[in-house]
Amino acid sequence: MSTHNKRDFNESDMNCSIAQSNALIYSRSFDKSRTIREQNLHHIFAYRCENHFVYGVLTGFESIVAVRYYSSVLPVVLSQNIQKLEVQRKQVGAFTNTQQIDQNYSQLLTNAFAAVEEQFQQMKDEPLCEKAFIDVQLQGNLPENYPIFNDRIRELSVELSAGLSAVVAFIHEKRLLIANIGDTRAILCRKVVGDDGQNCIVSTTLSVTHNLDNPSELRRLGQLGLNTSAIRQKQELGNVTLTRCLGNLWLKRFYKDYPDLAAATDDPILAVPDITTFALDESCLFLILASGSLLESLAEATSKKDVTEDLVKMVHEEFESHQPSDRQGVAQVVVDQIRQLHYSGFDSSYGRTTCRQIEDMTLLVRDLTVISGRESASQESSGQTTPTNFPLGAPLPRLSISVEETNLTTDNFDEPSPSCLNTKIDNDRTLTDRVANISLSENNLADDSAQAGDDDEEIDAYVDFSVLLDAYHESKTTE
């Protein structure tokens, strides 16, 4: 019951492997398990533009509306911004300063997310205005007392609550940038020499999970005047568990309707991505982009809280067992293994409250060993680094090594790293010495720091959406 989204790229050409699995409600016989919904709410895109490789995993909730829109428009906006940056590069010369390069591309990614989010809101102006009009008509009365209004509010709630998490990976020459919103994950896997002289796999989480377990997000909500203790206890922020997402205009526009959020002095739900950078070198093996549901399903099946290392081991085992030209099936094997493991938890104790159903899952694995012209370079990262300590080439135990509990937040990026990581990267600095995070907020979307040289022109987030919108509306009428 696995399914791939329709795509217009060749996995071999893009050096990546992708897989998806549909949400299921289990039966005693797996073959009789039924799908939860007709459409998979996840989408993958991958393409090459101006010698830039771009990969994205979008994971929706409530309905397919938001995912369908963002998956159609976001790649176009990213491509246009890449082309504009390339024009600037040719005008002012090559960017040679690493910090300058990262700032340019970080601004490019942030502007793209902002432009598409703004256009999505404009597209939904009519239902948003209708909801506001109904609120005025009710004049504070409960909609339950007015059946006509109540039914329409339910319909609007479903339409406007559609949203998504997203992670975008951006590879240009030896730079890797990750932009993420919500609970989608990006994990970089490398091989290094440990203090004991043996090779080991190091997994570095390059995404930030925006949920109520993230201390920095809780502090932000507290600064808005919200009772974070009560919110965290409920593990819900309005109608979601995420603190950042794309879409979900119902919550972003009408958060005052929720008692727990009424005291907020500003929007509690952001659509601003966290940006992480990394310098690629010959130690890099592969990049994992995964839906939060994939790791949650693995955690539920293994009764573990953090299964990052478990996922890395599963991918690495399949990765190493295939030649570079034959790795397109790696992701599908891993997704199938997780689904089977999850179902075995249901089957072994029929009637239990966990593992009774599984959500849509998505996995993209990008082979980094095929990047041409790689040279040994110092690592500049902004992620939480976690070692998976097993010798390269040795048989990999499946889900048998205990994993230290970790919290993927910006608060612990500078915590001491395990000894496996304290191997010299350059003459006098280690990987953990070079940890640095670029986290852009709404207040600096228009920073001039994204520009090269003395050029003060901001990377414009404007895109002409008229053709895209016409095509989008036409596709809806023909469905």
Side-chain angles (χ1 to χ4, degrees):
M1 293 187 179
S2 297
T3 179
H4 291 284
N5 269 351
K6 183 179 180 181
R7 55 194 184 278
D8 57 0
F9 64 91
N10 184 290
E11 293 180 42
S12 179
D13 293 342
M14 297 302 297
N15 302 313
C16 70
S17 172
I18 70 169
Q20 291 185 301
S21 179
N22 286 337
L24 297 173
I25 297 177
Y26 292 139
S27 172
R28 286 301 299 270
S29 172
F30 181 79
D31 292 338
K32 295 182 179 180
S33 299
R34 56 187 177 88
T35 56
I36 295 177
R37 61 186 72 89
E38 293 183 2
Q39 296 173 308
N40 192 303
L41 299 186
H42 295 185
H43 187 88
I44 302 171
F45 61 78
Y47 62 93
R48 185 173 182 174
C49 175
E50 300 283 349
N51 204 30
H52 298 70
F53 291 93
V54 185
Y55 305 88
V57 170
L58 312 180
T59 62
F61 52 84
E62 291 299 331
S63 78
I64 194 67
V65 174
V67 174
R68 180 181 293 157
Y69 178 82
Y70 280 90
S71 63
S72 299
V73 179
L74 183 57
V76 176
V77 179
L78 287 169
S79 297
Q80 292 182 351
N81 283 359
I82 289 171
Q83 291 166 355
K84 181 169 184 179
L85 187 59
E86 284 300 297
V87 170
Q88 292 181 351
R89 184 198 296 269
K90 293 175 182 177
Q91 290 174 346
V92 303
F95 304 145
T96 57
N97 182 280
T98 299
Q99 183 177 3
Q100 185 182 71
I101 293 172
D102 289 346
Q103 287 176 340
N104 277 311
Y105 285 115
S106 296
Q107 196 71 50
L108 181 155
L109 288 164
T110 303
N111 284 348
F113 275 83
V116 181
E117 175 80 358
E118 180 180 0
Q119 190 62 33
F120 184 69
Q121 293 183 19
Q122 293 177 9
M123 190 179 72
K124 293 296 181 181
D125 268 349
E126 185 175 332
L128 287 169
C129 290
E130 184 178 356
K131 166 61 166 65
F133 175 78
I134 291 176
D135 287 344
V136 172
Q137 295 298 309
L138 290 174
Q139 296 181 346
N141 293 308
L142 294 176
E144 289 82 356
N145 298 328
Y146 300 86
I148 295 179
F149 284 151
N150 191 44
D151 292 343
R152 183 54 182 155
I153 284 179
R154 288 174 185 241
E155 294 172 355
L156 291 172
S157 174
V158 172
E159 177 181 357
L160 296 174
S161 294
L164 65 149
S165 293
V167 60
V168 172
F170 195 91
I171 299 175
H172 178 59
E173 296 177 350
K174 299 171 185 174
R175 304 303 295 178
L176 167 66
L177 285 91
I178 300 293
N180 87 284
I181 289 178
D183 63 357
T184 43
R185 311 292 177 85
I187 305 166
L188 177 68
C189 300
R190 303 166 49 243
K191 63 177 179 181
V192 301
V193 179
D195 289 344
D196 58 0
Q198 287 192 336
N199 288 332
C200 63
I201 296 297
V202 172
S203 63
T204 304
T205 298
L206 299 180
S207 54
V208 178
T209 303
H210 300 124
N211 61 20
L212 296 174
D213 292 324
N214 186 324
S216 62
E217 290 293 276
L218 286 174
R219 279 199 302 271
R220 178 179 64 82
L221 295 174
Q223 291 169 358
L224 297 178
L226 298 179
N227 185 340
T228 56
S229 297
I231 291 174
R232 188 173 185 184
Q233 185 175 5
K234 290 180 62 176
Q235 279 295 302
E236 189 175 54
L237 195 63
N239 61 1
V240 291
T241 59
L242 303 174
T243 57
R244 302 193 194 191
C245 68
L246 296 170
N248 196 3
L249 304 181
W250 181 268
L251 181 58
K252 290 176 180 175
R253 288 291 184 91
F254 308 112
Y255 64 87
K256 293 285 187 181
D257 291 349
Y258 294 86
D260 292 338
L261 305 181
T265 57
D266 203 350
D267 297 345
I269 306 295
L270 299 182
V272 181
D274 266 293
I275 310 292
T276 306
T277 66
F278 202 96
L280 299 174
D281 73 356
E282 60 187 3
S283 70
C284 298
L285 295 178
F286 53 85
L287 173 70
I288 294 173
L289 301 183
S291 61
S293 58
L294 183 135
L295 283 94
E296 290 168 3
S297 296
L298 184 56
E300 191 174 39
T302 59
S303 300
K304 294 181 180 180
K305 186 173 182 179
D306 187 350
V307 292
T308 302
E309 293 183 11
D310 301 283
L311 177 61
V312 168
K313 291 175 190 177
M314 297 173 76
V315 173
H316 182 262
E317 183 178 60
E318 293 302 321
F319 186 83
E320 289 296 318
S321 65
H322 294 81
Q323 294 297 319
S325 60
D326 189 35
R327 288 173 174 163
Q328 287 74 51
V330 168
Q332 190 64 62
V333 172
V334 173
V335 167
D336 289 342
Q337 289 174 348
I338 293 175
R339 187 182 60 181
Q340 292 167 6
L341 187 63
H342 192 269
Y343 178 76
S344 67
F346 166 80
D347 189 52
S348 62
S349 55
Y350 182 69
R352 61 186 291 185
T353 57
T354 59
C355 294
R356 301 189 67 172
Q357 65 181 50
I358 192 168
E359 291 298 321
D360 295 333
M361 297 189 299
T362 297
L363 176 64
L364 183 151
V365 179
R366 207 292 187 176
D367 185 352
L368 299 176
T369 65
V370 295
I371 295 179
S372 60
R374 287 182 302 177
E375 299 173 358
S376 180
S378 61
Q379 305 304 310
E380 298 176 30
S381 71
S382 55
Q384 177 178 341
T385 308
T386 307
T388 302
N389 293 305
F390 54 87
L392 292 177
L396 304 182
R398 286 192 183 278
L399 312 173
S400 60
I401 294 182
S402 61
V403 183
E404 292 182 3
E405 180 177 324
T406 56
N407 294 316
L408 307 181
T409 74
T410 53
D411 290 65
N412 54 15
F413 283 162
D414 292 328
E415 289 181 355
S417 297
S419 59
C420 175
L421 300 177
N422 293 329
T423 181
K424 287 291 182 179
I425 302 298
D426 54 23
N427 292 334
D428 59 356
R429 304 181 73 179
T430 65
L431 175 64
T432 54
D433 292 329
R434 304 179 68 91
V435 172
N437 185 58
I438 299 176
S439 179
L440 302 178
S441 66
E442 288 182 325
N443 295 328
N444 61 9
L445 292 181
D447 279 350
D448 291 335
S449 60
Q451 303 309 310
D454 296 327
D455 188 356
D456 291 331
E457 181 187 359
E458 181 188 354
I459 298 176
D460 198 349
Y462 172 76
V463 178
D464 183 2
F465 286 93
S466 58
V467 177
L468 285 168
L469 286 175
D470 291 344
Y472 176 79
H473 290 304
E474 181 179 351
S475 66
K476 290 186 66 177
T477 59
T478 58
E479 288 179 353

